[in-house]
Amino acid sequence: MAATLPRISVFGLGKLGAPLAACLAHKGHEVIGVDVDPTKVEALKNHKAPVFETGLQEMLTSAAARIKATADAAAAVGQSEISCIVTATPSEPEGGFSLKFVLPVCEIIGRAIAKKKSYHLVVLNSTVMPGATGGPIREALEKASGMKAGKDFGLCYSPEFIALGSVIRDFLNPDFVLIGESDKRAGDLLQSVYDNVCNKPPAARMNFVNAELTKLSVNTFVTTKISYANMLAAICSRLPGADVDVVTEALGKDTRIGKKYLKGALGYGGPCFPRDNKAFAALGRKLEVPALLAEATDHTNDDVVRRLAGLIEHLSREKDVVGILGLSYKASTDVVEAAQGLLLAQTLVQDEYQVVVYDPAGMPNAKRVLKEGVRYAASAEDCMQQSDVLVIATPWDEFRALKPELVKKTGKPRAIIDGWRVLDAKAFSEVAEFVSLGKGPKG
C-alpha cells in the first residue's frame, strides 16, 4: 500500500506561492493555501489563478480536488503536516532583506504547532539573509510554540531557483534542490516531497547559513554572467564585423562556462536578480569583505539603460516619438519590476521625450508606474506606427512577427533598435535605420 503523502499548507499565494501550491497538488499532495489577501483566497477557493503565470490556471483546474484556501492560518497548520512560508521579504535601504512579513507568520505557525500532538515541519521558501533562519526565524517559532526546532518540530530553509513566466516548469524540473535543515528528520521529510514532486532531483543539504549563502551566491553568479555577456554585446556593437552571438556561442562550448545566460542583450531585471545582487554586496560590506564583483555587476547592469538612452539621442530628431516594445522584465510574465523597457521609458520621460509603449502582458502594471507620462499603444503594430524611433526591449514572440512591409507602408519608424536581435536585420535594414545591439558595423 502506497504511503500517504503529507498534507501541505502554503503561506503566501503570490507569484511564487500560488504556483508552488498548484505543483504540490498536481503531484498528489492535499494543499491548503493561506493568505491575508481575501481576493487571493477567494480566487484559489474557486480554483482560479490569483496571479498571472504560464500554465497556472490549467494546473489549478486539473488539481482542483486537492486544493483548498483559507484565511485561517491556525486551522491550515492544524490540517497539515508541513507548512511552507512564501511571503515577501522586501529589500531594506542598505540592501538586505526585511523579515517584517515572515516573522508574524512564524508566530502564528508557532502558536498553532503548540496545539498539535504530531510532528510538524516548517519550510521557509522566501529568500533571506545569512543568519536569518537560524536566528530570528527560529527564535520566533520556538518562542511562540514553546518547543525546540530540530527536536520537537522541523525547520528547513529551501528557496526555489525559478524565473517568473516559467515558475511551474522550473519548479518541476530543477537542476538541484537546496535544503538547509535543523536536523536530519526535517531534511529527509522535505527531500521526500521534492522526490515526489520534482522527479528526484539532486539535493544539496547543509546547515541554514550555508544554504542562505548558496541562494544569494547562485543568483549573484548568474547576474555576473549576464553582465559579462552584455558587456561583450556593447563591445561588439562598436567593433566592425563583430557579432556577440558568434562569440557567446563559442564561449558556451567551454564546459567551464556553459551557454546559459550568455545572450548578450539588455540588462537583467525582475524581483530577484537585482535585489539578490545588491544583498550580496550588502553582506560583504557588513562583514567588511567588499564584494567588488557584485558591485561592478550592479553598475554594469545600470549602465545598459544609460547607453541605450544615449543611442536613442544619437538616432532621434527634435520632437521624435520613441516607441518601446516590452515593459515586462522578461517574456511570458506581467512583472515590470526593474524591467529594462520600463526603466528606459522613465529615463526618456525625464529627458522630455514623447514616449509610446506596448507590452502583451505588462501594460496594467506598467500604467501604475508610468501613469500619464507616456502614451499606451493598442498593439505592437500600433506602437510601431506611432514611433519615429522604435526600441525592442523584451523578446516577446509577438514582436518577432513584425513585418518590414508595415514600415514601407507607413514610413514609420525611421530607426529601429533591436535589443534582443529578434527581427530580420537584412529585411528591416532596407526600410529603416536598423541597429542590432551586439552586432558591429560591417567592416
Side-chain angles (χ1 to χ4, degrees):
M1 186 174 181
T4 302
L5 295 173
R7 297 170 297 175
I8 302 174
S9 51
V10 177
F11 285 75
L13 299 175
K15 292 287 186 179
L16 303 184
L20 172 61
C23 288
L24 292 168
H26 173 68
K27 290 293 186 174
H29 293 270
E30 290 187 19
V31 178
I32 306 170
V34 186
D35 205 290
V36 295
D37 184 344
T39 60
K40 290 179 179 175
V41 172
E42 194 62 25
L44 200 62
K45 276 185 178 179
N46 295 306
H47 309 115
K48 301 295 183 185
V51 294
F52 178 92
E53 179 58 43
T54 303
L56 177 57
Q57 183 56 62
E58 293 81 357
M59 187 167 280
L60 287 174
T61 300
S62 68
R66 291 184 293 277
I67 298 179
K68 299 177 183 178
T70 182
D72 189 339
V77 174
Q79 296 169 26
S80 59
E81 287 77 52
I82 301 173
S83 293
C84 295
I85 302 175
V86 204
T87 53
T89 51
S91 297
E92 295 179 322
E94 74 277 7
F97 302 136
S98 170
L99 298 176
K100 66 179 182 179
F101 298 123
V102 171
L103 293 180
V105 173
C106 290
E107 291 168 6
I108 293 170
I109 293 175
R111 290 195 295 269
I113 290 175
K115 298 176 181 179
K116 296 187 68 174
K117 294 182 180 180
S118 57
Y119 180 81
H120 198 88
L121 172 63
V122 181
V123 181
L124 177 64
N125 300 101
S126 306
T127 301
V128 296
M129 296 298 287
T133 309
I137 290 167
R138 181 181 212 153
E139 291 165 8
L141 286 165
E142 291 184 339
K143 182 178 180 181
S145 66
M147 300 176 175
K148 290 294 182 183
K151 178 184 177 184
D152 306 310
F153 68 91
L155 175 61
C156 287
Y157 174 67
S158 187
E160 310 300 339
F161 297 96
I162 50 82
L164 299 182
S166 58
V167 173
I168 290 173
R169 183 194 67 197
D170 295 344
F171 180 72
L172 295 177
N173 302 282
D175 289 332
F176 76 106
V177 293
L178 177 63
I179 300 175
E181 58 194 48
S182 59
D183 62 291
K184 186 177 185 300
R185 181 183 181 184
D188 286 348
L189 178 54
L190 182 55
Q191 186 168 350
S192 72
V193 172
Y194 285 130
D195 286 348
N196 174 61
V197 176
C198 310
N199 300 318
K200 297 187 178 180
R205 294 172 57 174
M206 57 196 74
N207 65 20
F208 294 139
V209 72
N210 283 328
E212 291 159 337
L213 184 57
T214 297
K215 172 57 166 68
L216 288 182
S217 298
V218 168
N219 281 358
T220 303
F221 194 94
V222 171
T223 56
T224 303
K225 193 172 181 181
I226 292 170
S227 288
Y228 188 88
N230 293 343
M231 177 187 68
L232 276 177
I235 288 174
C236 287
S237 293
R238 298 289 186 91
L239 192 61
D243 187 329
V244 70
D245 290 326
V246 173
V247 177
T248 55
E249 176 69 21
L251 279 176
K253 293 182 185 301
D254 191 315
T255 56
R256 296 170 298 176
I257 298 173
K259 65 181 181 179
K260 287 186 177 180
Y261 294 98
L262 272 181
K263 176 63 179 175
L266 302 189
Y268 56 80
C272 295
F273 279 167
R275 78 189 204 113
D276 283 9
N277 198 75
K278 287 180 171 63
F280 192 93
L283 176 66
R285 290 192 296 271
K286 180 180 179 181
L287 298 174
E288 297 184 350
V289 183
L292 299 180
L293 189 56
E295 293 174 2
T297 296
D298 201 34
H299 177 76
T300 300
N301 197 61
D302 290 343
D303 192 52
V304 173
V305 169
R306 289 193 289 268
R307 285 191 287 104
L308 195 52
L311 179 57
I312 290 168
E313 182 181 7
H314 174 71
L315 293 172
S316 62
R317 302 170 183 171
E318 189 177 356
K319 296 185 179 180
D320 267 356
V321 176
V322 180
I324 300 174
L325 288 177
L327 300 169
S328 52
Y329 86 97
K330 64 188 288 288
S332 302
T333 183
D334 64 346
V335 175
V336 300
E337 187 176 343
Q340 296 287 289
L342 187 81
L343 294 174
L344 177 63
Q346 291 176 314
T347 298
L348 294 178
V349 168
Q350 290 175 356
D351 292 342
E352 299 185 344
Y353 281 89
Q354 298 180 69
V355 180
V356 58
V357 299
Y358 174 75
D359 188 277
M363 295 285 266
N365 289 333
K367 286 179 180 179
R368 284 190 278 271
V369 179
L370 297 174
K371 298 182 170 40
E372 302 303 317
V374 303
R375 301 204 302 258
Y376 298 94
S379 66
E381 291 81 1
D382 181 34
C383 185
M384 177 181 273
Q385 290 181 64
Q386 292 189 52
S387 305
D388 298 295
V389 178
L390 181 73
V391 181
I392 298 180
T394 311
W396 284 92
D397 285 342
E398 180 178 329
F399 303 157
R400 300 176 190 274
L402 291 170
K403 302 297 182 185
E405 287 75 19
L406 187 63
V407 183
K408 287 181 182 178
K409 188 184 302 181
T410 63
K412 285 191 173 186
R414 188 187 67 257
I416 300 173
I417 302 171
D418 187 353
W420 289 88
R421 301 178 297 284
V422 301
L423 299 179
D424 184 330
K426 184 176 184 299
F428 276 91
S429 293
E430 295 174 355
V431 297
E433 185 172 358
F434 190 81
V435 179
S436 185
L437 291 186
K439 294 191 175 184
K442 293 182 179 179

